[in-house]
Amino acid sequence: MTDSLNIVILTGAGISAESGIKTFRDTGGLWETHAIEDVATPEAYARDPKLVQHFYNLRRAALKEVEPNAAHIALGRLQAEHKGRVTIVTQNVDDLHERGGAKDVIHMHGELLSCLCSACGWRWNHSDDVSVEDKCPACQTVGGPRPDIVWFGEMPYEMGRIEEAVRGCDLFVSIGTSGAVYPAAGFVQMARSLGKQTLELNLEASEGSHFFHESRLGPAGTLVPEWVDEVLT
Ligand code: BV8
């Protein structure tokens, strides 16, 4: 029966933890050294663009040092081999899903390797540092380029496409997220209200665990390949 299920997978920082990318809310997580309001809001960027650019420059540079882990690779295999549709929606801004073989990943909170012009809205791939002296390649505005990241208070990307995918799925799976940030944390409730099967794979119980039919606790690098084997055999 599972061989043609349409599956929507929501991932969070936990799926990249075993690749060495810090999560947000675990001990030693990013928010312990940087208060959210200091670096991940439009107000913070207006107040201190150099600090915010530096915070994202560090994280963009760190991408070059890390590799996708077994969980990213297993999801790439699932997309390639499963007969039903597999839609990956990630809250992560790293490129490890793509480097693990996944296609058409929906980055609802943006991407470190993309740049956005706050003056004209132009978007382009960018893997180096961004500085407040940079000019937008489209409108030439100095200081236009900003991280293409959805900050708190900004509307996440592709919400219509995500909702359509949840409506059309049979199974909603959440991997490596604390369920602390909305609207992503609300997707499981949408899935439940539509009568979908729901599964959580997470290191520990999350704020939304009680919404899932099944919750498996453990590292994604172990749980995700095991689950993908189950679905594919
Ligand atoms: C918006 C980019 C409105 C930055 C991020 C109700 C409805 C709607 C909004 C709200 C609401 N209530 C409050 C809000 C506002 C706010 C919000 O949710 N605040 C929270 C703090 C209460 N939401 C917003 O502002 C959103 N925008 O609502 O806009 C709007 C409407 C109209 C018009 C305009 C606007 C925008 C939210 C996006 C913010 N940006 N990221 C950046 O990356 O630098 S969110 C940030 O947290 C991260 O991106 C991350 O994606 C996200 C969630 O964190 P997780 O990924 O879950 O990571 P976390 O560390 O929390 O947890 C890791 C988990 O992994 C843990 O559970 C751990 O146990 C597990 N784990 C660890 N290791 C492993 C593991 N699991 C498996 N294996 C392991 N090895």
Side-chain angles (χ1 to χ4, degrees), residues 11-18 22-26 29-31 36 39-40 55-56 59 90-93 108-110 112 149-156 175-185 200-207 218-221 223:
T11 65
I15 200 169
S16 296
E18 289 159 87
K22 281 185 174 179
T23 65
F24 290 86
R25 294 167 185 83
D26 292 328
L30 281 173
W31 303 129
I36 285 185
V39 285
F55 175 63
Y56 287 97
R59 290 170 66 195
T90 187
Q91 300 172 84
N92 299 339
V93 293
M108 66 178 291
H109 290 167
L112 283 170
I149 298 283
V150 176
W151 285 324
F152 287 93
E154 294 184 324
M155 180 53 97
I175 302 174
T177 180
S178 60
V181 173
Y182 288 84
E200 178 183 47
L201 307 177
N202 207 52
L203 189 64
E204 62 208 4
S206 71
E207 293 185 32
L223 292 188

Side-chain angles (χ1 to χ4, degrees), residues 6-233:
N6 290 335
I7 307 172
V8 170
I9 300 166
L10 171 70
T11 65
I15 200 169
S16 296
E18 289 159 87
S19 295
I21 293 190
K22 281 185 174 179
T23 65
F24 290 86
R25 294 167 185 83
D26 292 328
T27 44
L30 281 173
W31 303 129
E32 281 198 346
T33 42
H34 298 80
I36 285 185
E37 56 279 358
D38 293 345
V39 285
T41 65
E43 295 74 21
Y45 184 63
R47 187 170 57 240
D48 190 347
K50 276 194 171 45
L51 169 74
V52 173
Q53 294 283 24
H54 177 61
F55 175 63
Y56 287 97
N57 288 342
L58 291 178
R59 290 170 66 195
R60 191 176 304 108
L63 280 187
K64 298 181 177 101
E65 319 298 322
V66 296
E67 296 296 326
N69 64 54
H72 297 108
I73 292 163
L75 293 188
R77 184 162 67 90
L78 179 69
Q79 267 191 332
E81 297 177 17
H82 182 57
K83 291 193 188 65
R85 272 196 314 277
V86 178
T87 307
I88 299 174
V89 180
T90 187
Q91 300 172 84
N92 299 339
V93 293
D94 61 55
D95 61 339
L96 295 180
H97 276 303
E98 289 85 353
R99 288 167 57 196
K103 303 267 183 286
D104 206 17
V105 177
I106 301 178
H107 282 271
M108 66 178 291
H109 290 167
E111 296 177 75
L112 283 170
L113 295 178
S114 173
C115 219
L116 171 67
C117 176
S118 41
C120 74
W122 182 251
R123 204 175 249 116
W124 65 98
N125 292 332
H126 189 89
S127 56
D128 302 319
D129 283 0
V130 184
S131 97
V132 293
E133 284 85 38
D134 288 349
K135 269 198 302 193
C136 167
C139 72
Q140 309 305 317
T141 303
V142 174
R146 60 161 271 188
D148 186 11
I149 298 283
V150 176
W151 285 324
F152 287 93
E154 294 184 324
M155 180 53 97
Y157 294 152
E158 308 259 28
M159 287 302 291
R161 200 172 144 213
I162 295 168
E163 192 166 324
E164 196 184 319
V166 173
R167 284 191 186 288
C169 83
D170 305 292
L171 172 63
F172 176 82
V173 186
S174 176
I175 302 174
T177 180
S178 60
V181 173
Y182 288 84
F187 293 160
V188 61
Q189 295 162 71
M190 186 202 314
R192 285 301 301 261
S193 69
L194 293 164
K196 312 300 182 185
Q197 197 59 29
T198 55
L199 167 68
E200 178 183 47
L201 307 177
N202 207 52
L203 189 64
E204 62 208 4
S206 71
E207 293 185 32
S209 289
H210 55 287
F211 288 117
F212 290 88
H213 291 103
E214 186 189 357
S215 192
R216 298 181 192 176
L217 300 186
T222 307
L223 292 188
V224 177
E226 281 171 359
W227 170 69
V228 167
D229 285 344
E230 271 173 38
V231 174
L232 292 179
T233 47

